[in-house]
Amino acid sequence: MKTALTAAILSSALAAPLAAQAEDYNIAFLAASSQNGFNQAIYAGIEEAAAKYDNVKTQIFDGEFSATAQFSQVEDIAAGGKFDAIIITPNDTVGIATALEEAIKAGVKVGTTLFPVGPELSNMEPQVPGLTVTVASDPVVGATAQADAVVDYCADKDPCKVVVLIGQLIYPFDNLRNDTYKKILGEHDNIEIVATGEGNYSPQTSMVAMQDILQAHPDIDVVLSNADQHLMGAEIAIEDAGLDMSELYTIGGGLNQIAVDAIKAGTWSGTLAQFPKSEGEAALDAVVKALNGETVPTWIDEYSLRQTPKIVTKEWLDANPDFEPEWQG
Amino acid sequence: MSDVQTPARRFSITPGDFAREYGVLTIIVILMVGLSLISDSFLTARNLLNIVNQSAPLAIIACALTLVIIGGGFDLSTGAIFGVASVAAGWIAVHVDPYTAIIAGPLIGFALGTLNGAIITGFGVHSFLVTLATSLVYRGIAILITGGALIPVRIAEFSWIGRGRIGMVNIAVVVLIIFMVIFMVLLNRTTFGRRVFAVGGNEEAAILSGIRTNLIKIVTFSLSGMAAGLAGVIAVSRISMASPQAGVGMEFEAIAAVILGGTSIMGGSGAIWRSVAGVLLMALIGNGFNILNVNPFFKDLTTGVIIVVAVALAASGRRSR
């Protein structure tokens, strides 16, 4: 009896640290919008990474593409005490900073995906004190890669007429991308940006903008866009205008399944690579390690997560037939 | 084809009447002249047909919404019904049959619109509140159908309604014209239309006259839902892509177009053709900005100013009556 009691006490004592280690971590993913395919792919990565741990639970919150809604979610999580960490895809990269700062002070680990949090969109190091990790790439880097690809294509054309389809210029990240396009393309006398349309990440809006632009500029050479959704709409307008999309140089952004199929078919020229699922996985791993007391890098470059060129082309896809994009579109 | 008018007014149109009746047309003409002078690309058959084609889905919604507003109601769910019908039609086209998808969109819209009308009249709640709530429900259904992803629908048997042409004219434009004529006849040449005016003008008097006002209201919402469903099918067919986000904010564009056309937000007066003109006016502004490559920052500002001017013209017309 005495032996059994001793054994029970000993096993309890041994089990105590194990039980402490097995404490559940609740991690909130604050999606810019839970109804958006790109954000859902980030969450798929978060869930997949969480499944590798026995003690990590995740929950998605719908940011409704609203900075205010997301701000309130951060405040509620900080006040509620239920969550140990937040992974956020911010709607407003500047305004959300104060709410995240309060959450960090309340002991919540914070990771951000897609964009950094703070006034400088090109600064990947923490602009909010105590921010655990930023899993993102500098928008200027991607936009530069796209603009450079256009410069290469236009090398032998004079004039080389370019249409830019951007998301919305009221978004700081889109404005930065647009400024990058204008700066790089503006350095070449043979390149002329004949029109800039707003696609608002909608194929329908992009199609209308492209139809109108083609009325005034039916002799374009290039469509440069930051989003694959814009090229989907532009393609319809280009075909309706009797032009052959495959004879233009067309480049989008996002690398979704629809873009990959179009590039493989030779309809689109290329797209800027993005990896939402890998971003989610990397962010979750980083915050879990931080919760476990490990040191993690403050910035994980999106382009370090997969081995692809920044601009994915038909040549590259043909050479890598097993490549699978990380989101459907 | 416009509001019911007294015989005497047919022979003496006052400036106020003209402003209310033709204010939106006047602004359209001014804009067209201006754009023609500024850009060589504007006044071409192709561009003008493009504008009408681009406007077809919104104009179809605006036609039916005019009935709802004349009847004293308000429908904030048209954008969400457009979204549900879009993704449902896209899904059915891919997984079942393209022709079934084309029919299913308007039918789904009709069912959802009827549900709106039934809740509004059954519970006696204002249509503004009910359709605000149901728009959230319907948008949620659209997300559930797709999981938030786009559905590519590159099927010729489906895309003809959005992309097909008869000569130079898109089939969607033909559908719009037929739809518009049917609704104009329905509103101005039938007992149902007269009852819609009566319900929106004075509901108590309409009840005392023996009109089944609830039934009239339900029918206007059913037609509004059907129009949103049809518009959704055309839009998906045109871009070969169904998106659960489709139609976000469309309800406000449609309401703006109807009000631009001088239809009274208090109910009881309005005209289908003027709502379509309101849609075309907004499309003209967008077209002008894209053709002239004007900074998009000024687009909302310009649209807002023109809406205020048009609504003020219509209001001055009503005051002077």
Side-chain angles (χ1 to χ4, degrees):
Chain A
M1 182 69 190
K2 193 176 173 183
T3 311
L5 189 65
T6 309
I9 292 168
L10 272 175
S11 59
S12 301
L14 283 171
L18 289 175
Q21 268 195 343
E23 180 193 354
D24 280 350
Y25 291 143
N26 289 305
I27 297 174
F29 172 52
L30 307 192
S33 163
S34 63
Q35 304 165 8
N36 169 272
F38 193 91
N39 280 249
Q40 285 189 341
I42 294 176
Y43 189 54
I46 288 172
E47 283 185 304
E48 205 166 295
K52 291 185 292 188
Y53 302 92
D54 293 332
N55 61 333
V56 176
K57 290 179 183 169
T58 65
Q59 187 177 329
I60 186 169
F61 289 74
D62 182 5
E64 302 167 13
F65 282 130
S66 158
T68 315
Q70 213 167 38
F71 197 99
S72 301
Q73 286 168 353
V74 175
E75 285 183 327
D76 291 347
I77 285 170
K82 179 186 167 191
F83 290 94
D84 304 284
I86 290 171
I87 296 170
I88 187 168
T89 303
N91 279 317
D92 168 12
T93 54
V94 181
I96 200 77
T98 49
L100 289 176
E101 203 170 331
E102 292 305 312
I104 291 166
K105 281 181 191 165
V108 179
K109 300 287 182 195
V110 175
T112 177
T113 51
L114 190 59
F115 298 118
V117 171
E120 297 170 47
L121 273 169
S122 289
N123 181 2
M124 299 295 138
E125 292 306 325
Q127 300 172 56
V128 175
L131 189 90
T132 299
V133 67
T134 297
V135 187
S137 59
D138 180 350
V140 172
V141 171
T144 301
Q146 289 181 298
D148 285 344
V150 172
V151 170
D152 289 345
Y153 171 79
C154 289
D156 300 326
K157 283 185 182 291
D158 190 6
C160 188
K161 296 187 175 181
V162 178
V163 171
V164 171
L165 286 179
I166 202 81
Q168 274 207 55
L169 291 174
I170 56 165
Y171 296 150
F173 41 86
D174 281 343
N175 222 325
L176 182 58
R177 288 168 176 144
N178 192 44
D179 286 345
T180 306
Y181 295 155
K182 284 197 291 189
K183 177 176 172 288
I184 294 173
L185 301 184
E187 289 165 358
H188 301 269
D189 293 338
N190 62 319
I191 298 177
E192 182 188 354
I193 298 177
V194 293
T196 302
E198 288 186 313
N200 199 20
Y201 299 93
S202 153
Q204 167 75 19
T205 309
S206 310
M207 181 196 68
V208 170
M210 197 68 210
Q211 279 179 336
D212 292 345
I213 289 167
L214 285 171
Q215 294 301 319
H217 308 283
D219 54 347
I220 60 166
D221 301 294
V222 174
V223 181
L224 165 60
S225 175
N226 66 306
D228 292 334
Q229 297 96 315
H230 300 160
L231 278 197
M232 292 174 206
E235 183 179 352
I236 304 292
I238 288 167
E239 285 176 3
D240 281 354
L243 300 173
D244 186 347
M245 180 93 165
S246 62
E247 288 184 1
L248 304 178
Y249 187 79
T250 50
I251 186 164
L255 189 58
N256 61 27
Q257 183 67 58
I258 295 165
V260 167
D261 291 343
I263 295 166
K264 277 183 177 173
T267 320
W268 300 6
S269 309
T271 192
L272 177 68
Q274 282 191 278
F275 310 108
K277 193 159 168 253
S278 297
E279 281 187 36
E281 286 173 358
L284 185 114
D285 281 334
V287 293
V288 170
K289 282 179 183 169
L291 287 167
N292 286 335
E294 295 176 42
T295 304
V296 296
T298 51
W299 172 40
I300 299 172
D301 187 352
E302 181 183 12
Y303 291 117
S304 69
L305 300 173
R306 295 279 301 264
Q307 297 303 310
T308 72
K310 287 191 179 66
I311 305 298
V312 171
T313 60
K314 180 171 167 53
E315 291 72 33
W316 188 85
L317 287 172
D318 287 346
N320 295 271
D322 296 331
F323 174 78
E324 287 186 7
E326 295 194 350
W327 61 301
Q328 288 302 304
Chain B
M1 295 261 189
S2 65
D3 305 9
V4 177
Q5 294 175 335
T6 59
R9 297 186 67 79
R10 287 186 188 147
F11 300 104
S12 60
I13 294 178
T14 66
D17 281 338
F18 185 85
R20 184 178 57 87
E21 196 82 5
Y22 301 109
V24 66
L25 271 189
T26 309
I27 296 178
I28 285 177
V29 171
I30 293 169
L31 261 182
M32 287 184 76
V33 171
L35 288 169
S36 305
L37 293 173
I38 299 169
S39 169
D40 293 339
S41 321
F42 175 74
L43 203 60
T44 62
R46 183 68 197 266
N47 188 48
L48 297 179
L49 281 169
N50 251 350
I51 293 170
V52 182
N53 186 39
Q54 289 167 1
S55 310
L58 185 62
I60 286 171
I61 292 176
C63 284
L65 187 65
T66 309
L67 245 67
V68 173
I69 294 179
I70 290 173
F74 221 70
D75 192 348
L76 290 176
S77 69
T78 50
I81 294 177
F82 179 95
V84 174
S86 295
V87 293
W91 191 91
I92 293 169
V94 172
H95 296 97
V96 184
D97 173 66
Y99 292 105
T100 308
I102 292 170
I103 297 165
L107 288 181
I108 290 168
F110 186 87
L112 297 179
T114 305
L115 183 63
N116 279 341
I119 296 172
I120 290 160
T121 53
F123 293 98
V125 184
H126 196 283
S127 54
F128 185 95
L129 297 173
V130 171
T131 55
L132 181 65
T134 55
S135 70
L136 298 174
V137 176
Y138 297 162
R139 184 66 65 191
I141 293 170
I143 306 298
L144 287 174
I145 292 172
T146 64
L150 300 171
I151 304 175
V153 199
R154 293 212 160 214
I155 304 170
E157 290 82 2
F158 182 74
S159 61
W160 61 270
I161 192 167
R163 299 182 67 185
R165 284 190 181 139
I166 300 171
M168 275 186 78
V169 182
N170 289 75
I171 290 173
V173 175
V174 176
V175 173
L176 166 63
I177 292 168
I178 294 170
F179 194 86
M180 184 179 155
V181 169
I182 290 172
F183 269 69
M184 285 169 73
V185 170
L186 193 64
L187 183 64
N188 297 306
R189 295 283 183 267
T190 66
T191 308
F192 169 76
R194 284 196 295 279
R195 287 178 176 173
V196 171
F197 278 111
V199 171
N202 188 334
E203 190 173 352
E204 277 186 39
I207 292 169
L208 292 172
S209 308
I211 295 173
R212 295 165 70 188
T213 55
N214 282 351
L215 181 63
I216 298 293
K217 284 185 190 173
I218 291 173
V219 173
T220 60
F221 280 95
S222 302
L223 293 174
S224 175
M226 183 202 67
L230 176 62
V233 168
I234 290 173
V236 173
S237 164
R238 181 181 298 162
I239 58 168
S240 307
M241 190 78 62
S243 162
Q245 299 291 337
V248 171
M250 206 169 190
E251 61 276 15
F252 296 111
E253 289 179 46
I255 290 167
V258 173
I259 294 169
L260 259 176
T263 292
S264 169
I265 206 157
M266 307 302 289
S269 73
I272 301 283
W273 74 266
R274 290 207 306 258
S275 298
V276 174
V279 171
L280 293 177
L281 173 56
M282 294 201 299
L284 264 182
I285 300 167
N287 181 260
F289 269 81
N290 285 329
I291 278 187
L292 301 174
N293 195 26
V294 181
N295 188 332
F297 282 137
F298 293 103
K299 186 176 163 188
D300 287 345
L301 190 150
T302 311
T303 308
V305 168
I306 289 177
I307 287 176
V308 168
V309 170
V311 172
L313 271 175
S316 71
R318 271 195 293 276
R319 277 196 302 274
S320 68
R321 291 185 80 185

